[in-house]
Amino acid sequence: LIIYALNTLSKHGFEMFITPDVAKEEVLKGIGFNPRGNESNVYTIEEEGTCLVATAEITLGGYHSGEILDKAKLPLLYGGLSHCFRREAGSYGKDVRGLNRLHQFDKVEIVRIDTPEHSYESLKEMVDHVEGLLVKLGLPYRILKLCGGDMSFTSAICYDFEVWSAAQKRWLEVSSTSNFESYQANRLKCRYRRTADKKTELCHTLNGSALALPRIVAAIMENNQTPEGIRVPEVLVPYCGFEYLDDKF
């Protein structure tokens, strides 16, 4: 799944990163994560002013902190593979066990840095990209455009992608794709220089998951059961070298 996601991103022009597991607290705050407090899902490293990253969005989004970018090079398309560490504070009950919620997991993240006039076109391209991943995996899915009350305070607009869990009989989020407009860029001082008057302006930042891999694994196992075993999605067969997960595995 990781190689499938990375290969697809490379074909779409994303520059790939393996991102650090540790980031400075000021970068987390700039992205919009609260590194401390009872409701924080972030693991802090005491006396160092650093945290374990909850997503590659943190390090990719902070990559150009304090920089003035060349408008001609925008949008910047980044894909990041990272370990993700989350406390999952306040998560209890049988439905969060197993692959639903983990303290550590791997995830492929996509980030774009763009101009204000083009950022919503970038958002559409990101939504189409994530949807394309799910279509090729053959999983039942839906896309939700979130209302203001369901979005994080950092987002201007957000689309959630959910796959059907046959075991739990409910939808599980596997990607959240957002346009933050200038919220993150303002806190991180990420700007670009306009061509006409050479003045600087705040960039727009966007991010999305491609995809939340543990839940995708669960969805494949739950939705592809056959008498021969669990059918591997056709797009993954070249990476696996087999078509079914059976009792030999």
Side-chain angles (χ1 to χ4, degrees):
L1 278 167
I2 290 172
I3 298 172
Y4 161 62
L6 295 178
N7 283 351
T8 305
L9 286 172
S10 296
K11 291 176 183 177
H12 285 79
F14 284 81
E15 184 178 354
M16 307 310 301
F17 291 78
I18 297 177
T19 60
D21 291 338
V22 177
K24 296 178 180 178
E25 285 191 11
E26 55 261 37
V27 175
L28 273 79
K29 292 176 182 176
I31 294 296
F33 281 79
N34 176 19
R36 296 183 182 274
N38 292 333
E39 296 303 317
S40 174
N41 281 338
V42 176
Y43 287 105
T44 60
I45 302 175
E46 296 297 335
E47 300 180 0
E48 287 191 11
T50 57
C51 305
L52 297 180
V53 298
T55 167
E57 173 197 351
I58 294 168
T59 42
L60 289 179
Y63 188 57
H64 293 289
S65 176
E67 294 186 23
I68 299 176
L69 304 174
D70 182 356
K71 182 180 180 181
K73 295 182 179 179
L74 299 179
L76 297 174
L77 283 66
Y78 294 151
L81 169 62
S82 74
H83 302 305
C84 302
F85 304 91
R86 300 188 183 182
R87 292 177 56 231
E88 295 297 353
S91 298
Y92 303 98
K94 65 181 181 63
D95 287 338
V96 301
R97 294 179 180 273
L99 293 171
N100 272 15
R101 292 188 183 275
L102 302 171
H103 289 295
Q104 178 183 340
F105 59 95
D106 295 331
K107 182 158 66 77
V108 177
E109 193 81 4
I110 50 179
V111 166
R112 294 181 70 143
I113 301 175
D114 208 343
T115 59
E117 60 266 25
H118 188 260
S119 70
Y120 277 87
E121 180 62 30
S122 282
L123 177 64
K124 181 181 183 303
E125 292 174 8
M126 291 174 70
V127 170
D128 290 344
H129 177 82
V130 175
E131 183 175 15
L133 294 174
L134 291 172
V135 168
K136 290 180 181 178
L137 288 172
L139 294 173
Y141 73 95
R142 68 181 184 182
I143 305 174
L144 304 179
K145 182 179 180 181
L146 300 188
C147 68
D150 287 335
M151 290 193 302
S152 70
F153 65 92
T154 60
S155 302
I157 185 172
C158 180
Y159 292 92
D160 274 0
F161 291 78
E162 299 180 340
V163 296
W164 177 249
S165 170
Q168 298 179 47
K169 306 298 182 187
R170 66 187 184 104
W171 296 93
L172 297 177
E173 179 192 331
V174 295
S175 178
S176 184
T177 303
S178 304
N179 187 345
F180 303 105
E181 295 190 352
S182 62
Y183 178 88
Q184 294 177 337
N186 185 39
R187 294 158 70 97
L188 294 167
K189 297 180 173 58
C190 179
R191 296 161 290 169
Y192 71 96
R193 195 175 301 280
R194 296 192 306 215
T195 305
D197 55 14
K198 303 298 182 181
K199 291 184 177 180
T200 60
E201 187 172 345
L202 290 171
C203 298
H204 276 193
T205 60
L206 308 93
N207 95 286
S209 307
L211 298 157
L213 299 175
R215 290 184 176 183
I216 291 293
V217 171
I220 290 173
M221 295 175 69
E222 291 177 1
N223 288 288
N224 291 357
Q225 298 194 25
T226 73
E228 291 77 24
I230 297 170
R231 178 176 51 81
V232 175
E234 184 177 350
V235 73
L236 298 182
V237 171
Y239 300 103
C240 297
F242 48 81
E243 297 182 3
Y244 289 93
L245 285 167
D246 53 30
D247 54 9
K248 289 182 293 184
F249 294 90

